[in-house]
Amino acid sequence: MPGPGVGTLYSMSTLVTGATGIVGSRVLTQLRSRGLSATGASRTSTTRLDWTDTSNWDEILDGVENVFVVTPPGKALGNRVAGFLERAAKAGAANAVVLTDMGTEHAPADSDQRAAELQAKDLFDRWTVLRSNWLFQDFTEGMFATMARSRNGRLELPVKKKTGISFVDARDVADAAVAALLGDHGGRDYTLTGPQTLTFREVVKQTRGTESPVWKFKSLDRGSFHSRAADRGMSDRYVGSLSERFAAADAGRAAEVTEGVYEALRREPIPLARFVREAVL
Ligand SMILES: NC(=O)c1ccc[n+]([C@@H]2O[C@H](COP(=O)([O-])OP(=O)(O)OC[C@H]3O[C@@H](n4cnc5c(N)ncnc54)[C@H](OP(=O)(O)O)[C@@H]3O)[C@@H](O)[C@H]2O)c1
């Protein structure tokens, strides 16, 4: 199916969910820097969107043609994100770009993330599914940074020392999302990884001294991780979902280096060395 013409693109309105997050904020910035009409939405954005409160969804979706939808893992939202996509399609949106986790194609059809992927494929003329691996930016501005700050720089996770992960730069994920929102990536799934498989120790060693607060990686058993996370106020369900993702990584399911970034963007993914160069304090 041909993509929309440039004139059409500039009048298109895009709704970016997860707009205060690592990826969503970059997607929003990019769209706006191109002079495109884009609205960011989340619980703390000016346009308030809460996955657990459907009351203003029709208002938010009025006049929206493109939607970028993030699917928070481990929150047991009861397929609210899929419900949001249904409302978006009914409101006339034509293009949905859905961001989930690497491996979501193997998740049960009724899981929040897989249900959102399937809904986008079912309901939209144009859809793109982006499945991302863990981000480099988790060490500087995301969950790993938060965890390390509360443990004097120690990042303690239930992941084996030798487990490899093909971490990806959030800029590649955001670029792929913007390309899918603006161009014709319709009807494709992309698994987005970086160009190398790295252990947590390797990433910590290289990012030390940058804006990352992580100074040391320690492998924890699942029980200790669970009790520390509970002390930090994380819900059982969220910790359970994190533990599952780390177990998947230990089983080698986050190690593969894919062609996804190249296929989506026709350029190589950003390597850790460049992320480190550009994340200096
Ligand atoms: N970070 C990673 O390593 C990673 C790895 C693989 C896949 N992904 C995928 O990428 C997506 C985005 O990741 P990210 O790292 O950019 O996320 P993030 O930085 O954790 O941000 C999450 C976003 O979701 C919003 N949010 C949280 N709870 C919400 C709720 N109940 N209702 C509405 N909005 C809510 C947050 O804003 P408010 O607090 O303002 O609501 C924030 O904008 C994830 O959902 C996941 O599917 C991420």
Side-chain angles (χ1 to χ4, degrees):
M1 190 188 309
V6 170
T8 326
L9 285 176
Y10 279 81
S11 60
M12 275 189 182
S13 166
T14 301
L15 184 75
V16 176
T17 69
T20 54
I22 300 176
V23 178
S25 61
R26 288 169 168 83
V27 171
L28 191 61
T29 302
Q30 274 208 46
L31 292 172
R32 287 182 175 160
S33 71
R34 291 167 188 233
L36 299 170
S37 163
T39 303
S42 74
R43 291 167 306 178
T44 59
S45 297
T46 313
T47 297
R48 196 187 68 85
L49 166 69
D50 190 331
W51 297 124
T52 65
D53 174 9
T54 60
S55 61
N56 66 341
W57 287 5
D58 290 335
E59 192 187 318
I60 295 173
L61 287 164
D62 188 31
V64 166
E65 285 158 271
N66 294 309
V67 281
F68 171 67
V69 170
V70 299
T71 52
K75 295 212 172 173
L77 291 168
N79 296 341
R80 291 289 173 90
V81 180
F84 184 79
L85 285 164
E86 192 177 348
R87 295 257 197 121
K90 275 197 189 130
N95 183 18
V97 178
V98 175
L99 175 59
T100 60
D101 288 11
M102 184 172 180
T104 298
E105 67 274 32
H106 306 299
D110 62 351
S111 67
D112 286 334
Q113 294 204 319
R114 184 65 178 146
E117 290 185 352
L118 294 172
Q119 191 78 300
K121 292 180 183 195
D122 269 1
L123 295 180
F124 289 83
D125 293 341
R126 289 169 57 218
W127 59 265
T128 308
V129 170
L130 304 173
R131 300 193 186 103
S132 167
N133 207 348
W134 293 96
L135 306 173
F136 293 146
Q137 283 79 359
D138 287 322
F139 291 84
T140 49
E141 58 194 271
M143 185 175 66
F144 303 151
T146 310
M147 288 176 165
R149 277 196 192 95
S150 69
R151 301 285 301 169
N152 283 331
R154 283 201 311 279
L155 177 61
E156 299 166 328
L157 298 175
V159 182
K160 291 183 189 138
K161 282 178 195 161
K162 292 198 170 148
T163 291
I165 297 181
S166 51
F167 293 96
V168 61
D169 194 299
R171 291 170 291 183
D172 286 338
V173 180
D175 284 357
V178 170
L181 288 165
L182 302 185
D184 181 23
H185 281 259
R188 287 232 24 203
D189 307 63
Y190 297 90
T191 293
L192 304 174
T193 75
Q196 295 163 274
T197 303
L198 298 154
T199 64
F200 271 93
R201 279 205 161 159
E202 286 167 335
V203 178
V204 171
K205 196 171 161 202
Q206 293 193 51
T207 53
R208 226 182 262 146
T210 68
E211 61 196 67
S212 165
V214 186
W215 280 81
K216 195 173 167 42
F217 172 73
K218 190 172 171 215
S219 179
L220 275 191
D221 62 86
R222 272 178 96 155
S224 309
F225 175 70
H226 208 285
S227 50
R228 288 205 184 143
D231 288 348
R232 240 180 260 132
M234 290 183 185
S235 72
D236 270 3
R237 199 185 292 275
Y238 185 60
V239 179
S241 124
L242 280 179
S243 295
E244 271 173 31
R245 289 171 72 194
F246 292 128
D250 275 348
R253 294 202 288 273
E256 188 192 350
V257 170
T258 68
E259 293 292 313
V261 169
Y262 186 80
E263 287 168 1
L265 298 170
R266 294 287 146 206
R267 65 160 177 77
E268 298 300 330
I270 296 170
L272 178 63
R274 181 175 150 203
F275 170 76
V276 168
R277 270 201 312 278
E278 293 168 357
V280 176
L281 270 179

